[in-house]
Amino acid sequence: MTTATTKTSTATAVTPPAIGYCDLGASIRFPRAPDEESVKDLVRAARRGGVSTVVVDVSGQPPVDNARFQAACAALQGHDGVRVVPAVCPVQGGGLADVASVERPAAWATREAPGSSWLVPDEVRFVYKLPAPVDDAVLLRRVAETARARHALVVAPSVDGALAAGAVAVEGAVATRLGLPALPEAAEVLGIGRILTIAKLTGARFHVAGIFTAAGAALLASSGNDRVTGSVFASHLLLDETALLARRYDTRLLRRPPLPTSSSRLALIAAVKEGTLLVSSGHAHVPRRERDLEPVRATPGGTALASTARLLRPLLGDDVLARSFGVLPTRCLGDTTTPVRPPPVPPGLDAPSTDDDDLARCLQEFSR
Amino acid sequence: MVDVPASVEARRVLDDDDVRRVVARLAHEIDDRVRADARGPLAVDAAALALVGIRTNGAHLALRLADELARVRGSRPDVGLLDITLYRDDVLAGGAMPVLRGTEIDFDVEGRPVVLVDDVLYTGRTVRAALDALLDLGRPSLVRLAVLVDRGLRELPIAADFVGRAVETARGERVRVQLREEGHAEDGVHVAVGVERRRR
Amino acid sequence: MTTKGVLSLPHLMGIEGLTRDDATLLLDTARSFIEVNTRQLKKVPALRGRLVALMFFENSTRTRLSFELAAKRLSADTLSFSSSGSSVSKGETLLDTAANIEAMKPDLVVVRHEASGAPWMLERVMSGAIANAGDGNHEHPTQALLDAMTLLHRSQRQPKDGLAGKTVCIVGDISRSRVARSNMLLLPLLGAKVRVAGPATMLPAGLRDVYDVEVFDDVDEALCSGAPVDAVMMLRIQKERAARAVMGSDDDYAVGYGLTKDRFARVLARNDAALVMHPGPMNRGVEIDAEVADSPHSVILEQTETGVAVRMAVLYLLALGHSRGVEGGAA
């Protein structure tokens, strides 16, 4: 990577790569169990995948005082040429979290840590991430108003939480045949509709992560609000629900939201090519003990950060990939100063690295 | 394992006519023996005689014997059909795929003299299984064994009471019994060179 | 290609994947075992020395007893594991349990689990042949086989004749019913016409795409239009969750979708030999009227008796295939 040379100087002088792939959709557990991924593992995976900027949040039940997480992220700023944006969870229980107390370390991690002064202060100072859908419009409005006041980008799931609860598939022939709990595609129309309405009401910036239906993508594209963007996870561009039939009850195929129908998948690919939808990894490491369970009990998710770009390249081509997984996500973070050019292809991007990458391994097994 | 085509070196042991005569003779022997048993110390109830044929060919032969006995004695004995698949000691041990046809014995065997009927007596294992299957259905007063062909080479202490034809055979040979009931043009028993199917 | 006398598949994961020949073989074999079950000594030595593991992760006394009796009548040894999900919360996972049972090398594994797909999980770690005794909302193949057996018996047909010309109406929560899913595959495979009826929210999306069935959200239309119905199969309503989720009360459900006396009288008016089936246990007064359940048209107890023979057939044929190395796929 061309920017890697700057890393050799002292820590204070580290300048993260000006451009590279930018991922808005990775999460991690913190504090972590020994068999779970560390922030350092994540940074290494980003480096291998040519990702130079990664927004990362604490999945599951985020502690309000996640200062230790922010510090861990700060410690790895610029490490391996990767800049880490620790997201803030703005909700706790059924209400607004004490965001001020977590923003301080987040600000330190993103702006004041050595070599990380890259978020544009007036545009986006923080990234808020909702680890689960917020169905309560009152709470969502409060989150949005807070985000607006504090210059935060809100990354939110696309679905209505109540309709999506417990679902591991999309309602339709596949889910019916396999007897899996499923959500209607309308769950996403409801979820995105709520976000668009609140965004318009408050003027907050939103990024809807993990769009998985054609209707959801169309709704977002027609909104006309350029402060609301959306992205689709790599797995949802590469696999559709028929994979569940091909590999019966393989819990590595469980994703949140579930894998799209084949027609939705094609519409999502088209939306990415048109530039109305961004791409993110959807990276969420699931340890074996939570993976080797019955399909309705297993935790959805999977690692994909290291192989997102490599797997999507044949599907999207270099230019589309550079835009949807590089330039546009960088813009979402308010970084308008970055010159617009396709990110360089990092070395070894074509080499398979499947040992710690569920998505790559799944696809490799599929192609056999 | 490939069977040598039967037509190459098959020798005929019984032809159509032989089978008919042998079945008639067996019926007479059975009748004589049952009468003797009735008069003797066993004091069996000769009128209660029942035939139980082992599926598939034994069942056909039992029905033929019953017809003959009807002529000889004036009354046709009850006939039951016994499926011994579930009693075979090799049912889960590979070899020919067993086909379950079901047991059809719609009378009570309890206290009655029963003649077990099969086509070929070989190792004795089928008869062993048939005895187990029969005794699970009740307690006959006695059980005798009638076979069309006894080819020797016993592996168990079992002997037939009524033998249609005793034939000397080798391990590698197969005894093929063809009966009209199975769609053959005429009855016949052949001994063919070929790898035996270990069933009997 | 089906080898005569053996199933084309190594496991009974569901009705899905069975050929017509497989179904006929299973039902024919079950008939042989009905004869065994009428004997004084109801036991055959076919599976002597074989080990059948009964893994019941969900409370189901009836199905477990039925399988256990089936195994014993085939002279198999049985190993019974029951838990109602509580040991899972103690930290032991399905695969941990499977590994423990696998160490005892069972030849056959019967599994009941509240999660769809659990038998597939076991297949990856166990070497025995697997019989699905009900997984989540997915399939319950032995129940469907015994339903088919009962229908054949009542119409005095042989398995090879199938159920052509018969119309069966399945009523209730299709979405959460493994019995419905297995029957929606097996009955059409045997040539029967199947209608399903229930409240729209209990009819899963894509039913017509997956199954060869007619779908109704009006139970009276399903029962009393078109060809007369030969059998009505009422599904159990999970009182705790489903009825309330869809209807205000049990009474609402009974009025809207239950097999009331009036409703069944209208069915009988079109076919006086119509049968009533129910996989049990019944909620009398909710999905089925008590008098209807106890009427001579009801085959509910008969279904329980046939169940043992069907499960004997399943265990026997799986053991037969297992001992002969029947491989999966459409070989």
Side-chain angles (χ1 to χ4, degrees):
Chain A
M1 203 184 286
T2 53
T3 50
T5 49
T6 55
K7 204 186 147 287
T8 52
S9 47
T10 62
T12 45
V14 167
T15 310
I19 196 161
Y21 294 121
C22 175
D23 185 27
L24 301 178
S27 58
I28 205 163
R29 294 177 185 187
F30 197 93
R32 69 183 182 101
D35 59 347
E36 288 166 5
E37 195 179 44
S38 68
V39 183
K40 201 166 181 176
D41 295 334
L42 187 83
V43 166
R44 212 174 294 133
R47 164 86 173 92
R48 266 213 308 282
V51 175
S52 59
T53 304
V54 56
V55 175
V56 56
D57 73 308
V58 179
S59 67
Q61 295 159 322
V64 171
D65 180 13
N66 52 3
R68 277 174 58 218
F69 170 65
Q70 311 286 2
C73 291
L76 287 163
Q77 279 309 333
H79 193 78
D80 273 349
V82 176
R83 52 190 192 189
V84 183
V85 184
V88 169
C89 177
V91 293
Q92 193 207 6
L96 204 62
D98 175 9
V99 272
S101 70
V102 286
E103 275 176 4
R104 237 171 287 122
W108 183 76
T110 49
R111 288 206 310 275
E112 287 151 40
S116 61
S117 56
W118 55 274
L119 282 184
V120 179
D122 289 333
E123 278 293 329
V124 176
R125 293 185 194 168
F126 308 105
V127 176
Y128 286 180
K129 176 123 178 216
L130 299 172
V134 172
D135 290 353
D136 178 348
V138 176
L139 178 59
L140 189 63
R141 182 184 180 184
R142 292 188 65 196
V143 167
E145 279 167 348
T146 310
R148 166 85 173 145
R150 295 173 188 268
H151 298 269
L153 168 73
V154 186
V155 179
S158 66
V159 290
D160 176 83
L163 275 175
V168 297
V170 182
E171 280 182 9
V174 171
T176 295
R177 201 161 141 191
L178 295 175
L180 291 174
L183 52 74
E185 288 201 313
E188 185 162 271
V189 174
L190 267 178
I192 294 178
R194 182 183 291 114
I195 290 169
L196 285 173
T197 307
I198 297 292
K200 197 172 164 194
L201 186 69
T202 58
R205 285 176 173 271
F206 272 90
H207 179 76
V208 185
I211 291 174
F212 74 108
T213 69
L219 177 61
L220 186 71
S222 66
S223 76
N225 184 348
D226 62 3
R227 294 172 79 84
V228 182
T229 54
S231 62
V232 55
F233 295 145
S235 48
H236 294 55
L237 291 174
L238 292 162
L239 293 167
D240 63 35
E241 60 173 0
T242 57
L244 295 170
L245 279 182
R247 297 184 70 87
R248 295 257 152 142
Y249 306 106
D250 184 338
T251 50
R252 289 173 312 167
L253 295 172
L254 298 183
R255 300 282 151 162
R256 182 172 288 146
L259 291 177
T261 62
S262 51
S263 62
S264 274
R265 176 179 159 252
L266 296 177
L268 293 168
I269 293 171
V272 170
K273 289 186 171 169
E274 281 164 19
T276 55
L277 214 52
L278 323 189
V279 168
S280 64
S281 68
H283 183 100
H285 178 251
V286 178
R288 277 193 71 103
R289 67 192 141 81
E290 289 180 26
R291 170 73 85 219
D292 288 346
L293 294 175
E294 303 84 312
V296 292
R297 290 215 181 91
T299 305
T303 55
L305 192 54
S307 59
T308 296
R310 177 173 67 82
L311 293 171
L312 289 178
R313 251 171 116 203
L315 185 70
L316 302 176
D318 276 339
D319 291 348
V320 172
L321 186 61
R323 185 182 64 207
S324 61
F325 193 46
V327 176
L328 294 178
T330 310
R331 290 272 167 77
C332 279
L333 295 174
D335 189 349
T336 51
T337 61
T338 314
V340 178
R341 61 181 166 84
V345 178
L349 198 59
D350 292 310
S353 58
T354 55
D355 354 327
D356 58 351
D357 204 306
D358 297 335
L359 184 59
R361 206 162 29 191
C362 269
L363 285 162
Q364 204 174 55
E365 286 176 25
F366 259 80
S367 61
R368 272 209 292 271
Chain B
M1 300 204 302
V2 178
D3 288 353
V4 174
S7 55
V8 179
E9 285 186 51
R11 63 189 153 97
R12 179 182 286 176
V13 179
L14 296 173
D15 65 14
D16 191 68
D17 216 30
D18 294 335
V19 173
R20 188 177 48 74
R21 274 185 278 115
V22 162
V23 169
R25 176 167 58 74
L26 284 173
H28 276 99
E29 285 181 25
I30 290 168
D31 184 47
D32 290 349
R33 184 64 177 270
V34 171
R35 284 172 197 282
D37 285 336
R39 289 191 303 270
L42 289 173
V44 299
D45 181 1
L49 173 70
L51 304 183
V52 171
I54 300 172
R55 285 195 186 264
T56 310
N57 279 342
H60 301 318
L61 291 169
L63 289 165
R64 291 193 192 185
L65 283 169
D67 293 342
E68 284 294 329
L69 281 164
R71 260 199 292 281
V72 174
R73 313 198 310 166
S75 68
R76 195 174 189 275
D78 284 334
V79 181
L81 313 182
L82 190 66
D83 187 321
I84 58 135
T85 308
L86 299 168
Y87 291 82
R88 275 170 52 182
D89 56 8
D90 63 344
V91 66
L92 296 181
M97 188 58 70
V99 178
L100 199 57
R101 291 190 180 81
T103 288
E104 289 173 34
I105 301 180
D106 52 12
F107 52 86
D108 193 353
V109 299
E110 192 75 25
R112 300 174 65 164
V114 171
V115 176
L116 208 52
V117 182
D118 202 1
D119 55 349
V120 179
L121 177 60
Y122 179 19
T123 63
R125 290 179 193 272
T126 297
V127 175
R128 194 282 307 162
L131 283 170
D132 282 352
L134 183 62
L135 297 179
D136 274 0
L137 298 175
R139 188 177 184 280
S141 60
L142 65 82
V143 182
R144 306 246 183 253
L145 175 63
V147 297
L148 186 63
V149 173
D150 179 352
R151 63 169 291 191
L153 302 170
R154 213 79 74 240
E155 293 170 2
L156 293 175
I158 280 171
D161 302 276
F162 314 103
V163 177
R165 176 73 53 93
V167 182
E168 217 162 284
T169 61
R171 269 247 183 262
E173 291 176 320
R174 277 179 62 184
V175 175
R176 289 188 296 119
V177 175
Q178 297 178 330
L179 298 176
R180 293 173 196 276
E181 289 90 335
E182 291 288 299
H184 294 284
E186 54 177 34
D187 297 337
V189 178
H190 297 79
V191 176
V193 178
V195 180
E196 76 202 79
R197 282 164 55 182
R198 282 187 56 93
R199 217 163 73 79
R200 303 194 154 77
Chain C
M1 193 191 79
T2 307
T3 314
K4 206 178 173 204
V6 71
L7 297 174
S8 65
L9 298 166
H11 309 287
L12 185 70
M13 293 299 204
I15 299 298
E16 191 179 358
L18 290 188
T19 62
R20 174 75 187 257
D21 282 350
D22 288 333
T24 306
L25 175 63
L26 277 160
L27 295 168
D28 269 330
T29 307
R31 280 164 55 93
S32 299
F33 286 119
I34 284 178
E35 180 269 318
V36 171
N37 288 338
T38 58
R39 297 180 190 171
Q40 221 161 15
L41 184 67
K42 302 171 172 55
K43 192 160 180 156
V44 291
L47 298 192
R48 199 170 51 194
R50 304 287 152 153
L51 182 59
V52 178
L54 302 161
M55 299 175 70
F56 280 69
F57 295 91
E58 184 183 66
N59 280 331
S60 165
T61 313
R62 291 153 7 105
T63 307
R64 186 171 55 78
L65 290 179
S66 182
F67 265 109
E68 194 166 343
L69 190 57
K72 288 188 165 147
R73 288 194 172 163
L74 290 166
S75 305
D77 296 319
T78 57
L79 188 70
S80 214
F81 173 89
S82 296
S83 93
S84 51
S86 55
S87 80
V88 173
S89 57
K90 278 180 207 146
E92 184 164 75
T93 66
L94 175 61
L95 291 186
D96 291 338
T97 308
N100 274 319
I101 305 263
E102 176 64 10
M104 302 175 207
K105 299 196 175 18
D107 302 280
L108 295 164
V109 178
V110 178
V111 59
R112 159 64 76 85
H113 201 289
E114 65 228 334
S116 303
W120 274 260
M121 305 282 298
L122 294 189
E123 191 211 340
R124 286 173 203 146
V125 294
M126 304 194 81
S127 49
I130 292 172
N132 183 355
D135 67 319
N137 300 337
H138 180 234
E139 280 223 46
H140 192 355
T142 56
Q143 177 70 42
L145 284 165
L146 84 88
D147 289 339
M149 196 76 194
T150 305
L151 287 170
L152 286 169
H153 181 69
R154 279 298 183 112
S155 48
Q156 294 176 335
R157 293 194 190 186
Q158 304 290 317
K160 68 173 163 45
D161 305 332
L163 290 168
K166 296 284 169 187
T167 301
V168 180
C169 187
I170 306 175
V171 182
D173 187 352
I174 309 296
S175 185
R176 289 188 186 80
S177 176
R178 51 190 170 216
V179 174
R181 279 187 174 75
S182 288
N183 267 305
M184 288 189 291
L185 292 168
L186 182 62
L187 297 177
L189 184 67
L190 294 170
K193 291 246 180 299
V194 175
R195 298 177 191 166
V196 298
T201 45
M202 289 182 171
L203 299 171
L207 262 182
R208 287 187 196 81
D209 303 333
V210 183
Y211 306 100
D212 185 9
V213 298
E214 281 183 274
V215 182
F216 297 83
D217 59 9
D218 179 336
V219 69
D220 293 303
E221 196 190 333
L223 291 174
C224 296
S225 66
V229 168
D230 297 290
V232 187
M233 185 181 295
M234 300 306 298
L235 301 175
R236 176 180 167 79
I237 286 299
Q238 305 284 332
K239 291 179 82 167
E240 323 74 50
R241 40 176 203 177
R244 300 265 152 63
V246 178
M247 297 273 170
S249 70
D250 293 348
D251 284 348
D252 278 0
Y253 186 85
V255 171
Y257 293 93
L259 192 60
T260 58
K261 265 184 288 184
D262 286 354
R263 209 165 252 145
F264 190 54
R266 289 199 292 276
V267 172
L268 288 180
R270 309 182 83 232
N271 175 5
D272 59 11
L275 302 177
V276 180
M277 310 174 87
H278 192 298
M282 286 181 279
N283 296 307
R284 287 168 197 263
V286 184
E287 73 266 9
I288 189 166
D289 178 86
E291 263 182 57
V292 174
D294 298 331
S295 78
H297 294 276
S298 160
V299 289
I300 291 160
L301 270 182
E302 192 179 314
Q303 284 178 279
T304 310
E305 287 167 19
T306 313
V308 177
V310 164
R311 283 158 187 137
M312 287 171 82
V314 167
L315 294 176
Y316 170 72
L317 289 172
L318 286 179
L320 209 59
H322 187 60
S323 68
R324 279 145 217 264
V326 172
E327 293 299 327

